[in-house]
Amino acid sequence: QQPVQSPQAVILREGEDAVINCSSSKALYSVHWYRQKHGEAPVFLMILLKGGEQKGHEKISASFNEKKQQSSLYLTASQLSYSGTYFCGTAYQTGANNLFFGTGTRLTVIP
Amino acid sequence: DAGVIQSPRHEVTEMGQEVTLRCKPISGHNSLFWYRQTMMRGLELLIYFNNNVPIDDSGMPEDRFSAKMPNASFSTLKIQPSEPRDSAVYFCASSLGVYNEQFFGPGTRLTVL
């Protein structure tokens, strides 16, 4: 039930954009996005719910395609602080709190 | 707000010993999660509680693992006996309600020799 993330790793220069994808083989109810810096705990970025509701930070955007069972995280005008590993967590049931996390996408932003 | 508190931050033990990891969730949160993170398997949910009741423990790898939440402000994850393959970073997280962000603790890095 673990979702698949792509790419596994990406290197960007400051100011460039990136897209991280999260695909599931099962119908999704919600998708959560987290970022983890090396040696630290994951930090919440965004939640997308079936039906279109979103909760998250203003500077980060994401989409949720229910038919394709996938979500994409859009990072625009990247900054050095965006570096880290991005995880999507998926829930497959209404009211489910348990998440299945993908293997992560390592993003490195260089000057 | 103190955030989620975990202890110890680091634990080194020998195979066969009992290990107890502790977690204090954010006050007022009613859901608590235990995760394990390794390079090979990524971030795995072990068990989660809602209002102190275990809801889903299907991620607990073996009977050697057990978790309790005696009250709303404390939870433990116990491994007995521990094995080298249990070496990982164990995170505790808490949230309020459903469809809300999970706040992760700093983690406990466990090394079993």
Side-chain angles (χ1 to χ4, degrees), chain A residues 32-110:
Chain A
H32 303 223
W33 286 96
Y34 286 79
R35 177 172 61 209
Q36 184 178 30
K37 293 186 179 286
H38 183 68
E40 299 180 6
V43 174
F44 168 80
L45 295 175
M46 176 165 287
I47 292 176
L48 301 103
L49 303 177
K50 187 175 182 178
E53 184 180 353
Q54 296 187 17
K55 302 179 187 181
H57 297 271
E58 293 179 0
K59 295 187 177 181
I60 295 174
S61 63
S63 63
F64 182 11
N65 188 320
E66 295 172 28
K67 282 189 175 180
K68 292 185 177 180
Q69 296 171 181
Q70 67 184 36
S71 175
S72 296
L73 185 71
Y74 304 95
L75 302 165
T76 57
S78 58
Q79 306 170 15
L80 295 176
S81 62
Y82 286 10
S83 293
T85 300
Y86 289 77
F87 294 95
C88 66
T90 52
Y92 300 107
Q93 292 175 297
T94 303
N97 248 353
N98 50 324
L99 300 178
F100 296 88
F101 280 94
T103 50
T105 296
R106 178 171 290 186
L107 179 75
T108 304
V109 181
I110 58 177

Side-chain angles (χ1 to χ4, degrees), chain A residues 1-4 23-28 68-69 92:
Chain A
Q1 301 189 71
Q2 185 179 42
V4 177
S23 297
S24 171
S25 59
K26 291 178 58 174
L28 297 169
K68 292 185 177 180
Q69 296 171 181
Y92 300 107

Side-chain angles (χ1 to χ4, degrees), chain B residues 38-53:
Chain B
T38 61
M39 287 295 294
M40 290 297 294
R41 301 175 68 89
L43 194 60
E44 302 173 278
L45 177 66
L46 300 178
I47 184 171
Y48 89 93
F49 297 83
N50 198 40
N51 295 322
N52 310 339
V53 176

Side-chain angles (χ1 to χ4, degrees), chain B residues 13-76:
Chain B
T13 190
E14 294 188 345
M15 182 173 62
Q17 296 298 306
E18 177 180 296
V19 175
T20 299
L21 311 182
R22 297 172 176 80
C23 175
K24 176 178 169 58
I26 292 173
S27 177
H29 283 189
N30 61 346
S31 294
L32 183 140
F33 309 83
W34 282 101
Y35 290 94
R36 177 173 66 176
Q37 188 174 37
T38 61
M39 287 295 294
M40 290 297 294
R41 301 175 68 89
L43 194 60
E44 302 173 278
L45 177 66
L46 300 178
I47 184 171
Y48 89 93
F49 297 83
N50 198 40
N51 295 322
N52 310 339
V53 176
I55 302 300
D56 184 353
D57 65 354
S58 59
M60 296 285 261
E62 300 170 32
D63 290 345
R64 300 184 295 106
F65 285 69
S66 62
K68 294 182 180 180
M69 191 165 187
N71 57 61
S73 59
F74 183 66
S75 178
T76 60

